[in-house]
């Protein structure tokens, strides 16, 4: 691309951004809000029915997995917002989840020490987890706004490595590799009606739908267009009067808050905060998940969160079902999930560069086109 | 408008179907009137475990569960226990507490195991105690010597197996005090309850001020050079290691590689990290460094070919475990299997989760151990003592010496134990 072309390109993009921004008026936004609220309500109803249906099978592990999908979804949605919408790469979101997890764990333990084991303690813990991640996110975001490309990737990778190490260095507070264990308060008065895993699933559903609702609205708001404008072309965005650094820091903080909630939720579900759950691998998994799911749309984040739970499970099923020699099964057990994930990434990138969501959109587009032509 | 209506209809239909299916399947399955029989049928008993089959702690430990399974297969071939065959589901947790959390939930909630048996590791198992308690799952014979397993009031279904680390610390500490009274004693331990409980025992005997340097390690960081350098700087002459096998090898190997090569303390290593074959295999060519290493154990010695228990276990290992290298981990795994079968025999024909817990609490099991198991209603800890062992000059044997010792995890004195180990029954299957 020549220099003139580039300038020309910049101008066009700036112009489209402005044009799009100018079409937005209160009425349109109000309609979007109502539509998102309806989606959220439908999602809640469907997921609640799904939860009790899963519990009805007698296998509450499925409820546990559903709760984990919700926890991962908070983080992948946040990361999609940061990477897909705002164009900033983060290899350190696992560490932000850890921040949320430890914030929540320390809160629940502190409250339990004072004899408080009511259900509201969980909500306080989730809130503390989010706040802790927001603070850390603001600090990292401020640094990240000055960095581009590989440098940003480098800094966030360091965060992903440092945070678990902090827990083993200050093992007086964080209890090292062993981590913090606790009992997550639950409305256990009627255990026959509501198993612990069901309650965790409901908790997860509530948080995940809230995150999706807020992010969807944010993305389609005026701020959302600013975030997109910055991702598309910083020069053009600047020309349109957008404060680049502030937008980027804000995006990082929002994304960190979501990851923090995901981590706090994960701690509440597993009744534990241990560094082994938030290693560098998790950060890389999160990024892989949103890329496979479909970067740039929140629906892609849902696919990603599903995969994060389903793929490791699938790999254990494969090793269990094959009659392997104990030695080979032993070698595969810990490693097959990684291989499947990698293979899946390669296939998706070749077959569907837009991720699973891109593929779904393409297929449904083709289907409706066929239906239309058949109907005419 | 048409499309919206159609979509609405589709969603509504889905909801109805889902609601209907949830209403149909709502019956719970746990428990008849007489007790909880999850994981037990007329022909099968399902046990599950979490083990480090891969990862930093897998050296040696990965052989334990297959050995237990081999013992179960041996019992199954003779008709099982009260007509039921024992199935053992082994899950890899890579010694990562977060993974343990997931696999134990899978075993309990999805596979519906009768009990968790011999789950390995202090940091890993600590994280699932509350979960197992709230699901009332028997948590038998945890493969670790942490004192956490012995809290019958807080965790009524959890039982230890190993001699706890504090008892071990007191016994090894007593030997150190008697043998090397004027030497500088140091401590190197895992930074969790394993290390802390061991240190507590050692300090009870020696006094906290007598331990000139204390260092620890985390299993996620295999570089122990800084800590070992500190030990050398402090002039340690006796180093007590509360280490898993991989880190015993790292500790001893790193010490030998220090500049100057002059740091050659007397090694005293906890039983869980001192199996000569395991550590020797990890060290490879550097195996001679283990010469003179002092440790202890409560199970028959692999090097005593005349021991009837060793003969029995070796035989089973050849027939049911593909004859893998016979080391302390195999003996350990088989001893766990033997005790489990004893408990099942005692629990009787109407096996429930409650009846197996009651059977273990009754105590008085006689088995391969050289000291008694302590189980009772108020005591859920495992073996109550240790016998000292030493690696010989040619580094091919790790023989016992002297009598075993017993003590408690408090201020009680360390006493010699002189009762002989009973011989195994002729068919190799323990009775109630």
């Amino acid at each position: 691309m020549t220099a003139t072309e580039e300038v020309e390109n910049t101008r066009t993009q700036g112009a489209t951004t402005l044009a799009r921004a100018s079409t937005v008026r209160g009425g349109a936004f109000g309609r979007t809000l109502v539509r998102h609220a309806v989606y959220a309500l439908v999602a809640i109803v469907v997921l609640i029915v799904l939860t009790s249906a899963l519990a009805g099978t007698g296998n509450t592990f499925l409820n546990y997995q559903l709760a984990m999908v919700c926890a991962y979804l908070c983080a992948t949605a946040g990361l999609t917002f940061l990477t897909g919408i705002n164009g900033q790469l983060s290899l350190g979101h696992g560490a932000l989840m850890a921040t949320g997890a430890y914030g929540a764990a320390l809160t629940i333990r502190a409250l339990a020490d004072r004899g408080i084991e009511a259900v509201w303690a969980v909500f306080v813990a989730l809130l503390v987890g989010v706040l802790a991640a927001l603070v850390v996110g603001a600090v990292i975001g401020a640094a990240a706004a000055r960095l581009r490309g590989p440098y940003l990737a480098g800094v966030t990778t360091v965060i992903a490595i440092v945070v678990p190490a902090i827990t083993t260095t200050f093992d007086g507070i964080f209890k090292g590799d062993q981590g913090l264990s606790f009992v997550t308060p639950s409305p256990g008065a009627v255990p026959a009606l509501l198993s612990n895993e069901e309650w965790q699933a409901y908790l997860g559903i509530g948080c995940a739908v809230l995150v999706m609702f807020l992010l969807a609205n944010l993305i389609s708001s005026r701020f959302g267009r600013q975030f997109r404008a910055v991702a598309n072309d910083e020069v053009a965005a600047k020309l349109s009067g957008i404060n680049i650094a502030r937008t980027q820091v804000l995006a990082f903080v929002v994304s960190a808050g979501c990851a923090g909630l995901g981590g706090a939720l994960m701690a509440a579900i597993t009744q534990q905060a241990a560094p082994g759950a938030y290693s560098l691998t998790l950060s890389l998994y999160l990024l892989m998940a949103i890329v496979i799911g479909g970067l740039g749309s929140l629906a892609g984040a849902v696919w990603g969160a599903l995969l994060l739970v389903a793929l490791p499970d699938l790999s254990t099923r494969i090793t269990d079902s094959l009659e392997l020699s104990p030695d080979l099964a032993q070698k595969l057990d810990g490693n097959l999930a990684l291989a499947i994930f990698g293979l899946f990434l390669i296939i998706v990138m070749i077959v569907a560069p837009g991720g699973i969501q891109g593929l779904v959109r393409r297929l449904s587009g083709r289907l409706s086109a066929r239906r239309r032509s058949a109907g005419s | 408008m048409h499309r919206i209506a159609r979509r609405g209809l589709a969603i509504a239909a889905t909801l109805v179907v889902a609601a209907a299916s949830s209403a149909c399947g709502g019956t719970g399955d746990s428990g008849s009137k007489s007790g909880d029989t999850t994981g037990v049928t007329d022909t099968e008993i399902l046990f599950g475990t979490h083990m480090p089959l891969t990862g930093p702690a897998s050296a040696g430990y990965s052989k334990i569960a297959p050995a237990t399974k081999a013992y179960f297969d041996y019992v199954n071939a003779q008709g099982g226990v009260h007509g039921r065959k024992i199935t053992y589901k082994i899950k890899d947790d890579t010694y990562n507490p977060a993974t343990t959390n997931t696999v134990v939930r899978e075993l309990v909630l999805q596979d519906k195991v009768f009990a968790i048996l011999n789950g390995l590791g202090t940091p890993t198992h600590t994280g699932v105690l509350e979960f197992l308690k709230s699901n009332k799952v028997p948590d038998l014979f945890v493969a670790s010597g942490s004192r956490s397993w012995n809290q019958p009031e807080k965790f009524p279904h959890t039982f230890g197996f190993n001699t706890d680390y504090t008892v071990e610390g007191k016994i090894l500490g007593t030997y150190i005090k008697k043998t090397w009274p004027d030497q500088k004693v140091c401590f190197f331990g895992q930074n969790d309850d394993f290390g802390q409980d061991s240190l507590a025992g050692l300090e009870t005997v020696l006094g906290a001020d007598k331990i000139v340097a204390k260092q620890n390690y985390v299993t996620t960081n295999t570089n122990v050079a800084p800590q070992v350098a500190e030990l050398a700087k402090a002039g340690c002459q006796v180093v007590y290691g509360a280490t898993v096998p991989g880190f015993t090898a790292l500790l001893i190997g790193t010490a030998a590689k220090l500049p100057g090569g002059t740091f050659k303390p007397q090694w005293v290593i906890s039983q869980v990290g001192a199996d000569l074959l395991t550590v020797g295999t990890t060290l490879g060519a550097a195996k001679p460094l283990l010469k003179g290493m002092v440790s202890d154990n409560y199970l028959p010695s692999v090097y005593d070919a005349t021991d009837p228990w060793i003969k029995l276990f070796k035989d089973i290992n050849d027939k049911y475990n593909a004859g893998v290298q016979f080391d302390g981990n195999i003996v350990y795994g088989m001893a766990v299997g033997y005790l489990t079968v004893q408990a099942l025999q005692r629990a009787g024909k109407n096996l429930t989760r409650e009846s197996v817990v009651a059977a273990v609490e009754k105590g008085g099991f006689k088995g391969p151990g050289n000291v008694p198991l302590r189980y009772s209603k108020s005591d859920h800890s495992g073996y109550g003592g240790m016998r000292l062992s030493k690696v010989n000059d040619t580094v091919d044997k790790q023989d016992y010496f002297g009598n075993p010792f017993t003590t408690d995890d408090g201020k009680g004195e360390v006493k010699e134990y002189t009762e002989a180990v009973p011989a195994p029954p002729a068919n190799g299957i323990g009775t109630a």
Side-chain angles (χ1 to χ4, degrees):
Chain A
M1 196 189 285
T2 66
T4 18
E5 265 175 334
E6 203 165 6
V7 170
E8 190 56 37
N9 203 8
T10 309
R11 255 189 228 143
T12 341
Q13 278 185 6
T16 19
T17 315
L18 279 181
R20 255 197 253 155
S22 64
T23 56
V24 180
R25 287 291 170 266
F29 183 66
R31 272 210 295 282
T32 314
L33 193 66
V34 170
R35 200 179 68 226
H36 287 162
V38 170
Y39 284 168
L41 275 177
V42 170
I44 285 186
V45 172
V46 169
L47 286 170
I48 285 177
V49 172
L50 180 68
T51 306
S52 57
L54 290 179
T57 63
N59 181 358
T60 42
F61 187 64
L62 295 171
N63 287 110
Y64 170 76
Q65 287 184 311
L66 178 64
M68 289 300 272
V69 170
C70 291
Y72 281 126
L73 179 54
C74 293
T76 51
L79 189 58
T80 296
F81 175 71
L82 182 72
T83 307
I85 308 294
N86 190 234
Q88 295 190 82
L89 182 66
S90 169
L91 293 176
H93 260 49
L96 292 168
M97 286 183 82
T99 312
Y102 275 94
L106 289 170
T107 310
I108 290 182
R109 281 168 66 107
L111 289 173
D113 282 348
R114 284 165 186 72
I116 301 168
E117 277 159 357
V119 173
W120 61 262
V122 181
F123 296 100
V124 173
L126 293 179
L127 196 65
V128 172
V130 173
L131 289 177
L134 285 177
V135 171
V136 175
V139 175
I140 304 171
R146 292 157 201 270
L147 299 168
R148 298 285 172 275
Y151 303 103
L152 181 55
V155 166
T156 48
T157 311
V158 168
I159 307 285
I161 295 167
V162 163
V163 168
I166 288 176
T167 62
T168 47
T169 310
F170 300 100
D171 54 1
I173 311 169
F174 302 116
K175 298 270 181 276
D177 281 350
Q178 189 168 312
L180 302 166
S181 299
F182 49 88
V183 183
T184 307
S186 72
V190 277
L193 295 176
L194 185 68
S195 73
N196 209 19
E197 283 69 32
E198 273 176 274
W199 145 244
Q200 288 164 347
Y202 289 135
L203 192 66
I205 289 166
C207 292
V209 171
L210 181 72
V211 163
M212 292 293 277
F213 177 67
L214 293 178
L215 281 182
N217 284 326
L218 184 63
I219 289 172
S220 51
S221 73
R222 190 171 70 88
F223 281 117
R225 270 177 299 280
Q226 287 191 2
F227 291 125
R228 264 186 227 273
V230 171
N232 284 337
D233 195 306
E234 287 186 17
V235 178
K238 213 169 191 169
L239 282 172
S240 320
I242 296 170
N243 184 333
I244 306 287
R246 202 176 60 194
T247 312
Q248 287 182 329
V249 175
L250 194 63
F252 213 104
V253 171
V254 168
S255 177
C258 298
L261 181 59
L265 205 49
M266 218 153 112
I269 295 164
T270 58
Q271 314 203 338
Q272 184 188 49
Y278 307 98
S279 57
L280 177 63
T281 326
L282 173 68
S283 296
L284 299 180
Y285 267 160
L286 287 175
L287 190 65
M288 266 156 81
I290 63 163
V291 172
I292 295 176
L295 206 57
S297 80
L298 287 176
V302 178
W303 291 113
L306 274 171
L307 287 177
L308 280 173
V309 173
L311 282 187
D313 193 51
L314 181 73
S315 76
T316 34
R317 268 166 215 275
I318 291 176
T319 35
D320 281 356
S321 65
L322 298 176
E323 284 294 322
L324 298 167
S325 75
D327 197 38
L328 185 63
Q330 197 182 97
K331 280 184 188 132
L332 283 179
D333 217 14
N335 303 320
L336 192 66
L338 264 173
I340 290 185
F341 225 122
L343 202 67
F344 211 75
L345 183 66
I346 295 171
I347 294 173
V348 167
M349 285 301 96
I350 293 172
V351 179
I356 297 178
Q357 183 55 24
L359 192 69
V360 168
R361 204 173 288 159
R362 221 164 62 199
L363 288 180
S364 68
R366 209 175 285 170
L367 267 181
S368 64
R370 193 173 299 166
R371 211 179 293 154
R372 235 173 286 146
S373 65
S376 64
Chain B
M1 206 59 225
H2 244 87
R3 267 191 33 222
I4 294 175
R6 211 160 44 214
R7 269 189 205 166
L9 208 68
I11 290 170
T14 317
L15 290 183
V16 170
V17 171
S21 66
S22 82
C24 295
T27 49
D29 62 333
S30 61
S32 56
K33 276 164 231 135
S34 55
D36 189 346
T37 55
T38 308
V40 184
T41 66
D42 288 343
T43 52
E44 194 200 9
I45 309 166
L46 178 62
F47 284 101
T49 192
H50 62 91
M51 285 278 165
L53 301 180
T54 56
S58 61
Y61 293 168
S62 61
K63 296 168 75 176
I64 292 174
T68 310
K69 192 172 195 301
Y71 183 79
F72 288 154
D73 289 344
Y74 167 77
V75 174
N76 289 344
Q78 297 183 55
V81 182
H82 295 301
R84 298 187 181 101
K85 304 263 159 91
I86 305 171
T87 311
Y88 196 29
K89 197 152 182 162
I90 307 163
K91 288 274 180 189
D92 184 13
D93 66 4
T94 69
Y95 208 66
N96 176 348
T99 316
T100 313
N101 232 314
T102 310
V103 298
V104 167
R105 276 173 173 77
E106 198 177 335
L107 287 168
V108 171
L109 301 175
Q110 184 159 291
D111 301 329
K112 308 236 181 275
V113 295
F114 170 66
I116 294 292
L117 175 64
N118 202 223
L120 190 144
T122 305
T124 47
H125 200 77
T126 303
V128 293
L129 281 178
E130 292 284 358
F131 171 76
L132 292 175
K133 178 193 178 180
S134 59
N135 284 276
K136 299 191 172 62
V137 181
D139 181 17
L140 305 179
F141 318 139
V142 182
S144 146
S146 166
R147 284 177 295 170
S148 300
W149 326 137
N150 179 24
Q151 303 182 68
E153 273 164 31
K154 201 168 166 204
F155 299 112
H157 313 100
T158 297
F159 294 88
F161 180 80
N162 299 21
T163 302
D164 72 60
Y165 299 129
T166 305
V167 166
E168 179 179 40
K170 283 173 73 180
I171 292 171
L172 287 175
T174 305
Y175 179 75
I176 292 172
K177 197 174 174 183
K178 200 180 75 199
T179 320
W180 304 288
D182 304 318
Q183 301 213 348
K184 283 186 178 170
V185 181
C186 300
F187 176 83
F188 180 75
Q190 195 161 300
N191 82 329
D192 52 29
D193 292 347
F194 171 21
Q196 280 152 23
D197 285 2
S198 303
L199 184 60
L202 191 64
E203 286 182 337
T204 307
V205 173
L206 294 181
D209 52 331
K210 282 281 176 343
I211 300 159
V212 296
K214 296 165 198 168
Q215 293 290 324
N216 63 41
Y217 70 93
V218 292
T219 49
T220 42
N221 184 354
T222 50
N223 179 16
V224 296
Q227 296 97 309
V228 175
E230 285 295 324
L231 294 176
K233 212 169 85 189
C236 303
Q237 292 166 298
V238 178
V239 175
Y240 183 112
T243 45
V244 294
F247 280 81
T248 308
L250 280 170
L251 168 68
I252 295 175
T254 310
K257 278 194 282 189
L258 282 188
T262 51
F263 184 46
K264 287 176 182 156
Q266 168 66 48
W267 301 111
V268 178
I269 306 290
S270 164
Q271 173 264 325
V272 292
D275 183 60
L276 175 60
L277 284 165
T278 308
V279 182
T281 308
T282 313
L283 279 172
K287 190 180 168 188
L289 292 171
L290 296 175
K291 180 175 147 186
M293 176 177 82
V294 169
S295 183
D296 53 7
N297 209 326
Y298 45 89
L299 293 174
S301 167
V302 174
Y303 301 97
D304 186 357
T306 59
D307 186 299
W309 290 96
I310 291 297
K311 279 186 198 156
L312 170 70
F313 290 161
K314 220 172 195 160
D315 207 37
I316 298 172
N317 188 53
D318 288 341
K319 279 197 194 115
Y320 295 94
N321 202 19
V324 298
Q325 185 193 44
F326 190 76
D327 61 16
N329 300 295
I330 305 288
V331 176
Y332 180 93
M334 302 242 180
V336 168
Y338 185 85
L339 177 61
T340 307
V341 170
Q342 280 181 306
L344 290 176
Q345 299 272 24
R346 185 182 284 175
K349 206 149 181 55
N350 298 322
L351 181 64
T352 62
R353 282 177 164 173
E354 293 81 3
S355 73
V356 80
V357 168
V360 178
E361 277 186 337
K362 219 173 135 199
F365 294 102
K366 297 270 180 226
N370 53 36
V371 290
L373 285 154
R374 291 177 284 185
Y375 303 127
S376 72
K377 259 196 172 1
S378 58
D379 193 337
H380 281 195
S381 64
Y383 282 102
M386 287 283 197
R387 192 175 172 197
L388 293 157
S389 71
K390 192 171 190 170
V391 175
N392 67 353
D393 288 350
T394 45
V395 199
D396 52 10
K397 272 190 161 191
Q398 188 175 26
D399 279 330
Y400 280 128
F401 62 91
N403 277 324
F405 295 91
T406 58
T407 186
D408 59 19
D409 58 14
K411 300 269 175 228
E413 67 169 320
V414 175
K415 283 184 270 193
E416 262 188 285
Y417 181 81
T418 48
E419 223 168 284
V421 181
N427 65 354
I429 299 176
T431 48

